[in-house]
């Protein structure tokens, strides 16, 4: 079995500059980008985000033989909110995107706020999802677990510009603040994690590029963010018992943004789902945890095995 390839920092940096296009689907226009060759992997971004974040999240899979297809969800960048404001409509829109691209089945990766659309694509269109990989994904009612001041930092143009400035010029300060918000790590563990990330070129680059995927062109992402927050506050528990494809659910055990009970709920609803809690991991643990390389290798090996013939 060939070894799993670790992305290079320069691979991540290219994701945010990759060109996108808009395709007319049966349910409305969708912006998307494609990177790589091989079996298709639909990579569904969180919030704030867009196709660029989807490429970033999918990069470990691209360098290991997958073709990453990264759409912007409705309200983000060039996909209008009218193309599908509800999670159910977004799931249907993703199926329509696969139709427009001539793809019968694809593996599906849903991260964070991309979780409801990914989960419901597999539930509502079972023939289209070859495998489902959920990473710190929302699966039930969700509200921001931050102070009013922190909310201004994450969902306003001025706040995100400040975060980006700190990330580029004072990365230790920016990363410490982010991990304090999105994890329940104790102060000593958090301090160690910050040092580990800043000492690892790949983890450091992911952190910087992820902040860019929040902050760059935020005015074009904000309608999607605000729609997500409104819809997720009234989400309830997603109906997932009809998901028929193999499912792997990965979640940081110290995620303070999307609590681990979202993963436990989804794993309990999806027949045969495998749940992996990432040890000492924040909301971005798939990338930034101490054992992130090992976790990503597990996900890549699983996806290669679960994908099956397309």
């Amino acid at each position: 079995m060939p070894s799993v390839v670790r992305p290079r920092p320069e691979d991540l940096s290219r994701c945010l500059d990759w060109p996108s296009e808009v395709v007319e689907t049966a349910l409305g226009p969708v912006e998307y980008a494609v990177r790589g060759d091989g079996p298709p992997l639909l990579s569904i971004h969180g919030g704030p985000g867009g196709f660029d974040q989807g490429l970033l999240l999918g990069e470990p899979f691209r360098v290991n033989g997958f073709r990453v297809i990264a759409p912007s969800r409705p309200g983000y960048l060039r996909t209008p909110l009218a193309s599908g404001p509800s999670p159910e409509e977004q799931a249907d829109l993703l199926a329509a995107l696969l139709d427009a691209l001539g793809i019968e089945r694809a593996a599906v990766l849903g991260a964070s706020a991309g979780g409801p659309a990914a989960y419901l694509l597999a539930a509502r269109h079972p023939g289209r999802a070859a495998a489902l990989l959920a990473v710190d994904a929302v699966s039930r009612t969700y509200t921001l677990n931050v102070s009013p001041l922190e909310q201004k930092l994450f969902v306003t143009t001025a706040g995100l510009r400040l975060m980006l400035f700190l990330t580029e010029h004072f990365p230790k300060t920016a990363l410490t603040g982010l991990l304090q918000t999105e994890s329940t790590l104790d102060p000593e563990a958090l301090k160690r994690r910050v040092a580990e990330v800043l000492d690892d070129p790949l983890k450091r680059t992911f952190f910087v590029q992820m902040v860019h995927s929040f902050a760059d062109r935020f005015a074009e992402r904000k309608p999607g963010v605000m729609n997500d927050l409104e819809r997720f506050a009234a989400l309830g528990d997603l109906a997932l018992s009809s998901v028929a494809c193999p499912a792997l659910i990965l979640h940081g055990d110290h995620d303070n943004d999307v609590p681990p009970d979202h993963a436990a709920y989804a794993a309990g609803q999806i027949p045969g789902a495998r749940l992996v809690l990432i040890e000492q991991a924040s909301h971005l643990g798939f990338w930034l945890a101490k054992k992130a390389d090992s976790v990503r290798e597990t996900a890549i090996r699983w996806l290669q095995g679960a994908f099956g013939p397309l």
Side-chain angles (χ1 to χ4, degrees):
M1 182 179 293
S3 60
V4 170
V5 177
R6 194 179 199 239
R8 301 172 300 172
E10 55 266 35
D11 295 329
L12 297 182
S13 297
R14 293 191 185 103
C15 292
L16 271 69
D17 297 324
W18 204 255
S20 67
E21 55 186 287
V22 176
V23 64
E24 283 290 340
T25 77
L27 298 179
V30 179
E31 179 184 30
Y32 74 100
V34 179
R35 194 164 184 227
D37 298 298
L41 171 64
L42 194 61
S43 181
I44 314 304
H45 67 85
F51 78 89
D52 45 1
Q53 188 182 104
L55 290 178
L56 187 64
L57 295 168
E59 187 61 13
F61 303 93
R62 183 195 71 84
V63 299
N64 284 283
F66 288 89
R67 173 166 49 113
V68 176
I69 302 161
S72 297
R73 292 190 292 111
Y76 289 93
L77 298 178
R78 292 196 289 160
T79 300
L81 185 58
S83 288
S86 75
E88 293 81 5
E89 289 169 318
Q90 291 188 17
D92 296 345
L93 184 68
L94 292 173
L97 173 62
L98 293 178
D99 288 338
L101 299 180
I103 298 171
E104 180 62 29
R105 297 171 69 230
V108 181
L109 164 64
S112 190
Y119 279 129
L120 291 175
L121 172 62
R124 292 166 68 88
H125 303 274
R128 312 307 297 271
L132 173 64
L133 176 61
V135 178
D136 292 85
V138 171
S139 69
R140 57 202 323 191
T141 300
Y142 168 87
T143 56
L144 277 177
N145 184 27
V146 297
S147 69
L149 180 60
E150 289 170 325
Q151 184 165 339
K152 288 182 179 179
L153 183 64
F154 290 111
V155 299
T156 67
T157 299
L160 284 165
R161 282 177 179 167
L162 174 60
M163 180 186 290
L164 186 57
F165 175 83
L166 292 173
T167 297
E168 293 180 334
H169 298 282
F170 304 96
K172 182 177 180 180
T173 299
L175 180 57
T176 299
L178 181 62
L179 290 178
Q180 284 174 334
T181 298
E182 58 118 41
S183 82
T184 57
L185 295 171
D186 64 58
E188 284 302 313
L190 189 147
K191 183 178 179 180
R192 290 194 299 271
R193 184 60 39 76
V194 169
E196 292 164 3
V197 171
L198 297 181
D199 286 343
D200 183 319
L202 181 65
K203 291 180 179 179
R204 181 172 180 146
T205 300
F206 175 79
F207 160 61
V208 172
Q209 297 303 317
M210 180 60 79
V211 174
H212 273 284
S213 79
F214 298 160
D216 294 351
R217 299 167 59 192
F218 178 67
E220 299 172 61
R221 307 180 198 265
K222 187 173 182 178
V225 174
M226 303 313 292
N227 178 69
D228 284 350
L229 292 176
E230 179 182 353
R231 298 283 177 167
F232 294 174
L235 189 63
D237 294 339
L238 293 179
L240 302 179
S241 61
S242 62
V243 174
C245 65
L248 174 62
I249 300 170
L250 302 167
H251 212 103
D253 64 354
H254 282 66
D255 188 342
N256 192 48
D257 184 355
V258 180
D261 71 275
H262 285 250
Y265 168 75
Q269 292 294 305
I270 298 173
R274 178 182 174 189
L275 172 61
V276 176
L277 291 178
I278 307 172
E279 184 180 350
Q280 288 288 296
S282 70
H283 187 58
L284 299 178
F286 186 71
W287 273 101
L288 303 186
K290 184 177 182 66
K291 297 181 179 179
D293 283 349
S294 175
V295 171
R296 290 197 304 274
E297 181 172 354
T298 295
I300 291 162
R301 294 286 191 205
W302 176 86
L303 194 58
Q304 290 170 336
F307 207 86
L310 293 178

